[in-house]
Amino acid sequence: MAETATTLRCLVVDDDPLALQIVENCVATTPFLVHAGSCSSAIAAAEVLRTEPIDLLFLDVEMPLMSGLDLLRTLQHPPLVILITSSKSYAVEAFEHEVLDYVVKPISYARFLQAAQKALAAHETHLNPTLDTIVAPTNTQFTFVKVDNKLLKVLFDDVRYVEALGDYVHIVTAKSKLIVYSTMRAVEEKFPSTLFVRVHRSFIVNLKRVQTIEDNTVVIDEKHIPIGQTYQREVFQRLNKF
């Protein structure tokens, strides 16, 4: 099998030596990943990120003195980030920082590879932004989005929700999850406002697909999506009127 031409320089950050070694082994096993370094603290990682070109950060959350989330708050231009942590409780806050994926320990290589492939797709899309990634629709039924240098037709009615992922958006439909180099603002401009509403800094949902509202979250296909405080009034008005 030929190796992919694209590689990602990775930094692994974890204060647990065993967890650090497991991720390092996963990186070494993955052909398109290059191990650029490891750190046992977020403070050390901040210095590496300041001085070295890093494409992808595998980051633990719970570390002394500075947590992984604290580190993300200090970065003006963070690389792609995959959080690897022993707790599910940080998921909502993590995605507010627009991390690419959230992997819960213990780590299997299959789950690691899934997250790494998502990073590779996002990176390659970023390298090839030759066309508008979301093409303005000619009607209110569909649009085209650029994925892997191809324009794919997406029916608005099929879209469940859109999630921000740093410089990318994750368009989730009934059958696929598309990583598109775009902004949430572009989605808001080109997706029909009669059908979609922004419920959070990181989420836009299809109103027709909202099944329930629970504790300031909307539920779509068992996915709990937070409703941001600044969006609550409009969201509830739209849901009541829809």
Side-chain angles (χ1 to χ4, degrees):
M1 180 181 296
E3 289 192 11
T4 178
T6 303
T7 58
L8 302 178
R9 287 175 50 83
C10 306
L11 179 66
V12 184
V13 185
D14 200 313
D15 66 322
D16 180 344
L18 179 59
L20 195 70
Q21 183 177 5
I22 290 172
V23 178
E24 288 173 346
N25 291 341
C26 288
V27 169
T29 305
T30 308
F32 57 85
L33 299 182
V34 176
H35 181 221
S38 295
C39 298
S40 59
S41 74
I43 296 173
E47 180 61 20
V48 174
L49 291 168
R50 188 182 68 82
T51 58
E52 299 288 336
I54 300 296
D55 301 310
L56 176 59
L57 181 62
F58 291 101
L59 180 63
D60 186 28
V61 175
E62 295 180 330
M63 291 180 285
L65 298 180
M66 178 186 286
S67 73
L69 294 175
D70 288 336
L71 172 62
L72 294 182
R73 294 186 189 100
T74 70
L75 302 177
Q76 291 185 339
H77 303 289
L80 298 171
V81 178
I82 295 173
L83 284 186
I84 299 180
T85 178
S86 58
S87 175
K88 297 179 181 180
S89 62
Y90 301 104
V92 173
E93 186 178 0
F95 285 111
E96 287 180 351
H97 289 283
E98 301 176 343
V99 303
L100 188 64
D101 207 341
Y102 188 96
V103 180
V104 178
K105 300 175 184 178
I107 307 161
S108 69
Y109 180 68
R111 180 65 182 91
F112 175 91
L113 182 60
Q114 180 185 39
Q117 288 173 332
K118 185 183 296 186
L120 178 65
H123 182 73
E124 288 182 335
T125 301
H126 180 70
L127 292 177
N128 298 284
T130 55
L131 296 172
D132 287 343
T133 52
I134 301 181
V135 180
T138 56
N139 56 45
T140 58
Q141 296 181 342
F142 63 86
T143 189
F144 285 89
V145 299
K146 185 187 176 190
V147 179
D148 296 333
N149 294 320
K150 294 183 290 187
L151 289 174
L152 300 182
K153 184 178 182 179
V154 175
L155 298 176
F156 288 128
D157 196 52
D158 286 346
V159 176
R160 269 44 182 174
Y161 59 90
V162 181
E163 180 179 356
L165 298 168
D167 292 332
Y168 312 86
V169 296
H170 200 179
I171 300 175
V172 179
T173 73
K175 298 180 180 180
S176 63
K177 297 180 180 180
L178 307 175
I179 297 176
V180 181
Y181 180 61
S182 184
T183 64
M184 295 295 271
R185 178 172 295 181
V187 173
E188 286 186 293
E189 290 175 352
K190 296 178 180 179
F191 278 38
S193 60
T194 54
L195 191 58
F196 293 91
V197 64
R198 190 161 187 173
V199 299
H200 186 275
R201 182 167 77 93
S202 300
F203 288 96
I204 293 172
V205 304
N206 184 336
L207 289 165
K208 289 177 63 176
R209 301 301 176 183
V210 174
Q211 295 164 319
T212 58
I213 304 173
E214 302 175 12
D215 300 325
N216 285 329
T217 66
V218 295
V219 181
I220 300 176
D221 295 343
E222 299 185 356
K223 168 78 171 181
H224 288 253
I225 298 172
I227 303 174
Q229 186 174 0
T230 59
Y231 300 93
Q232 286 180 0
R233 182 173 181 180
E234 180 183 0
V235 170
F236 290 128
Q237 286 179 341
R238 295 286 304 280
L239 287 170
N240 287 335
K241 291 179 180 179
F242 194 74

